[in-house]
């Protein structure tokens, strides 16, 4: 929760340094005087998977609108992907899709992206953010809980634990971007609040549907 003072003088904390956390930090830089990203993993010095992101080994696709938004947030990112070796793919021209209507026709379009590994994309974005003077990364840092005021009406920070110590980090806004293993419901319960409602969206990825009905 944000207090009433000017946002430019306030501190925002982001829990999690993966894609969601990195992009949240980038947007918060437009509004807060200081932004801190807390990441439990060690940040690699080159593009490589992290132990906290086992799904990074899976195939990832950067959709066209996603790349456009990234380019708005980080101008020149596509050029950096090109230099790193990511090829440009025109999805309707360079690939054929098989559906119940047969193979698609090769038609040029503006649906172009540069496919790359998740590790490369995260690393390039991290390198950009690391240049921001008012942004701080705290790697190898685990968040153990939320901190509230005496009335438990305002979140005032987080409890963090590193290899050396345990301390409280004050914040005017806390963003949880820690993913599916988020402890936020437990932390809210500890403060006397109920768990937030959950919405599950099933993409049915991997579920085979018959191309032709037998009925």
């Amino acid at each position: 929760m944000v207090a009433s003072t000017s946002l430019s003088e306030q501190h925002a904390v982001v829990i999690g340094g993966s894609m969601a956390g990195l992009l949240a930090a980038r947007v918060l830089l437009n509004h807060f005087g200081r932004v801190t990203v807390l990441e439990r993993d060690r940040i690699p010095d080159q593009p490589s998977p992290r132990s906290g992101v086992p799904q990074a080994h899976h195939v990832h696709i950067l959709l066209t609108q996603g790349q456009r938004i990234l380019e708005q947030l980080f101008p020149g990112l596509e050029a950096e992907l090109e230099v790193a070796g990511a090829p440009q793919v025109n999805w309707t021209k360079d690939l054929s899709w098989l559906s119940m209507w047969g193979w698609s026709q090769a038609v040029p379009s503006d649906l172009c992206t540069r496919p790359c590994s998740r590790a490369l994309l995260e690393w390039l974005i991290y390198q950009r953010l690391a240049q921001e003077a008012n942004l701080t990364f705290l790697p190898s840092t685990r968040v153990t809980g939320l901190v509230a005021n005496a009335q438990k009406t305002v979140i005032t920070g987080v409890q963090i634990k590193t290899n050396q110590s345990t301390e409280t980090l004050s914040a005017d806004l806390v963003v949880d971007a820690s993913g599916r293993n988020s402890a936020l419901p437990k932390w809210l319960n500890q403060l006397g609040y109920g768990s937030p409602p959950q919405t599950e969206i099933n993409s049915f990825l991997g579920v085979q549907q018959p191309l032709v009905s037998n009925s």
Side-chain angles (χ1 to χ4, degrees), residues 183-206:
L184 183 62
K186 180 183 70 174
W187 297 338
L188 291 175
N189 282 328
Q190 291 173 347
L191 293 174
Y193 296 98
S195 299
Q198 297 185 15
T199 300
E200 181 177 342
I201 300 176
N202 191 338
S203 65
F204 297 99
L205 183 64

Side-chain angles (χ1 to χ4, degrees), residues 104-175:
S104 62
Q105 298 294 321
V107 179
S109 72
D110 62 349
L111 300 178
C112 301
T113 61
R114 292 192 178 273
C116 62
S117 68
R118 172 170 173 168
L120 173 61
L121 185 61
E122 282 191 0
W123 188 78
L124 288 176
I125 292 176
Y126 166 75
Q127 293 298 312
R128 286 291 198 92
L129 291 175
Q131 301 174 22
E132 298 288 342
N134 56 338
L135 187 145
T136 301
F137 283 95
L138 295 182
S140 303
T141 301
R142 188 164 61 92
V143 180
T144 59
L146 300 174
V147 179
N149 63 354
Q151 297 77 25
K152 296 184 179 180
T153 57
V154 177
I155 301 301
T156 60
V158 293
Q159 296 174 338
I160 61 175
K161 183 177 182 180
T162 65
N163 294 332
Q164 291 77 27
S165 63
T166 300
E167 59 183 283
T168 296
L169 181 64
S170 298
D172 300 285
L173 177 70
V174 177
V175 176

Side-chain angles (χ1 to χ4, degrees), residues 47-63:
S48 60
R50 295 183 285 110
S51 60
V53 191
Q55 67 271 29
H57 296 278
H58 300 172
V59 174
H60 285 71
I61 296 296
L62 178 57
L63 299 181

